[in-house]
Amino acid sequence: MDTTNATTSTAEQILALACELVQTRGYNAFSYRDLAGQIGIKSASIHHHFPTKADLGKAMLRRYRENFADALEAIDRSRKSPSGRLSAYFDLFRQTARSDRGVCLGGMLAADMLTLAPEVQAELRAFFADSEEWLKGVLEAGAASGDFSLNGSPKDVALAIVSALEGAMMVARAHADPARFDRATRCLLDSLTKS
Amino acid sequence: MDTTNATTSTAEQILALACELVQTRGYNAFSYRDLAGQIGIKSASIHHHFPTKADLGKAMLRRYRENFADALEAIDRSRKSPSGRLSAYFDLFRQTARSDRGVCLGGMLAADMLTLAPEVQAELRAFFADSEEWLKGVLEAGAASGDFSLNGSPKDVALAIVSALEGAMMVARAHADPARFDRATRCLLDSLTKS
DNA sequence: GTCTATAAGATGATAGAC
DNA sequence: GTCTATCATCTTATAGAC
């Protein structure tokens, strides 16, 4: 019956910490030594789990995408109306914006895009594609039901929403003011739900 | 009469190149050696002009803010209607989004925010404040004239616009697809100018 | 202003013992 | 899986000659 690890595996510990460091400092501002020091092992041990930094980056994004997909499924289960689902999606980002000064892993890696290995770049594009596809479905349903008035195709509005949320996190953090995320995204949400 | 330099000063050359490198790679992914190598001098000479990387970062942002302020003044002179001015502001970002894969210096440094020296952080906040203030004026005029219908206070909508434009550049570049910037920002512009 | 030389430390990564 | 030891290279920065 004991299928859950009482202690998190080292690999998972590394991934969680690496994500946090990327979200706060960026891909090129953390090292294997940073990870090792905070976890309490040596950097050679990190290389055992993730031979290169590209391997680590790819694994980080895979994990982040999975967690994000789980969150979207949870929304689909708990919220049935398009506006409820859209609002819950915004809250996903809101939580990150309010958590200690980090921004979305996707937005952060988008900034570092041109320094990433091709495999990591591909994984990042897939992350955005995941969100855009889910949003497109919600927007189509909301447009059909009359809940939303869209200023463009569902596909384009989905892209606009993802872009705006990523940007809002960045700018809000630059001011060390999470309230700015709320102010910026409230305008966007209102423009979609207003008749 | 010859007040213009036929050859650009070394300091200006350094600043221009440093800006380009930050916009494409990020603050923590370029070095004094990169600058030196591409300009054709030694890294010690870069330190002569900008003793520390924080000095360089601060000077970069000052220069960027000045250029940006000039661009806003040019818009004020050439465009008289609020909608014309807003559209020209969007085009400022559009040009950067289309130029070879770089994004706004402000957006890039916002990602690197937590690794920057306090003085550079302050300069970055001022950059965003400049834009928000100018936009606020344009939005107020447009709301008064009936050109715009705002989903929030001019201050909040200004923040939403800056955030959305920064995010749109990031996401568009992640896909190596400048058209995504246009698709995302078109939705935003339409939502503001639609009655 | 630019150079050579150098410092002190960090970086991603590997080899091989336990 | 983790360790010690090591590597070649890069990083920001300084001292002092030309």
Side-chain angles (χ1 to χ4, degrees):
Chain A
M1 215 70 174
D2 186 42
T3 53
T4 54
N5 294 349
T7 64
T8 320
S9 75
T10 305
E12 171 59 24
Q13 254 185 290
I14 294 167
L15 284 178
L17 179 58
C19 271
E20 193 190 308
L21 288 176
V22 171
Q23 290 182 251
T24 48
R25 304 178 49 84
Y27 185 78
N28 296 301
F30 85 97
S31 71
Y32 271 51
R33 281 185 70 176
D34 294 328
L35 296 171
Q38 287 188 52
I39 292 180
I41 55 178
K42 297 296 170 179
S43 74
S45 303
I46 313 280
H47 279 284
H48 168 76
H49 295 280
F50 305 98
T52 71
K53 207 175 178 182
D55 292 324
L56 178 58
K58 203 168 131 187
M60 257 188 268
L61 267 171
R62 273 203 205 286
R63 174 179 173 278
Y64 200 78
R65 283 182 66 197
E66 277 169 28
N67 291 347
F68 207 87
D70 290 346
L72 294 184
E73 277 181 38
I75 291 175
D76 284 337
R77 277 192 303 271
S78 66
R79 314 292 287 262
K80 295 304 175 189
S81 74
S83 62
R85 285 178 178 175
L86 187 61
S87 172
Y89 180 82
F90 273 56
D91 279 343
L92 243 39
F93 286 79
R94 190 170 191 250
Q95 282 164 30
T96 305
R98 298 206 158 265
S99 82
D100 218 20
R101 312 190 77 190
V103 304
C104 172
L105 184 73
M108 209 61 183
L109 290 175
D112 296 324
M113 189 71 180
L114 268 39
T115 70
L116 303 177
E119 340 132 40
V120 187
Q121 295 185 344
E123 204 69 40
L124 179 55
R125 288 194 200 99
F127 168 74
F128 288 124
D130 291 345
S131 260
E132 286 166 37
E133 196 194 331
W134 185 87
L135 276 173
K136 182 167 166 277
V138 172
L139 292 170
E140 282 168 347
S145 69
D147 287 12
F148 301 150
S149 75
L150 307 184
N151 292 110
S153 69
K155 200 176 156 186
D156 286 357
V157 175
L159 176 60
I161 290 172
V162 172
S163 299
L165 289 171
E166 295 292 355
M169 298 189 84
M170 292 284 181
V171 175
R173 184 180 60 177
H175 290 277
D177 176 16
R180 289 192 187 234
F181 176 85
D182 298 333
R183 287 169 48 208
T185 56
R186 169 58 46 198
C187 292
L188 175 58
L189 201 53
D190 284 351
S191 80
L192 294 167
T193 53
K194 198 179 238 176
S195 63
Chain B
M1 213 75 173
D2 186 41
T3 53
T4 54
N5 292 350
T7 62
T8 320
S9 75
T10 305
E12 170 60 24
Q13 254 186 290
I14 294 168
L15 284 178
L17 179 58
C19 270
E20 193 190 309
L21 287 176
V22 171
Q23 289 182 252
T24 50
R25 305 178 49 84
Y27 185 79
N28 296 300
F30 85 96
S31 71
Y32 272 49
R33 279 184 71 178
D34 294 329
L35 295 171
Q38 286 187 52
I39 292 180
I41 56 179
K42 297 295 172 180
S43 73
S45 302
I46 312 282
H47 279 284
H48 168 76
H49 295 279
F50 306 98
T52 71
K53 206 176 179 181
D55 292 323
L56 178 57
K58 202 168 134 188
M60 256 188 271
L61 267 171
R62 272 203 206 286
R63 175 179 173 275
Y64 200 78
R65 282 180 68 197
E66 278 170 27
N67 290 347
F68 207 88
D70 290 346
L72 294 183
E73 277 181 37
I75 291 175
D76 283 338
R77 279 192 303 273
S78 66
R79 314 291 289 263
K80 295 303 174 189
S81 74
S83 61
R85 285 178 178 177
L86 187 61
S87 173
Y89 180 82
F90 273 55
D91 279 342
L92 243 41
F93 286 79
R94 193 172 189 248
Q95 282 163 29
T96 305
R98 298 206 156 267
S99 81
D100 219 18
R101 312 191 76 190
V103 304
C104 172
L105 184 73
M108 208 63 182
L109 289 176
D112 296 323
M113 188 72 178
L114 268 40
T115 70
L116 302 177
E119 339 133 41
V120 187
Q121 295 185 344
E123 204 68 41
L124 179 55
R125 287 194 200 99
F127 168 74
F128 288 124
D130 290 345
S131 261
E132 285 166 38
E133 195 193 334
W134 184 87
L135 275 173
K136 181 166 167 279
V138 172
L139 292 170
E140 281 168 348
S145 68
D147 288 14
F148 301 150
S149 76
L150 307 184
N151 293 108
S153 69
K155 199 176 158 189
D156 286 357
V157 175
L159 175 60
I161 290 173
V162 172
S163 299
L165 288 172
E166 295 292 356
M169 299 190 82
M170 291 284 179
V171 175
R173 185 181 60 177
H175 289 278
D177 176 17
R180 286 190 191 237
F181 176 85
D182 298 334
R183 287 169 48 208
T185 55
R186 169 59 46 196
C187 293
L188 175 59
L189 201 53
D190 284 353
S191 80
L192 293 167
T193 52
K194 198 179 242 179
S195 62

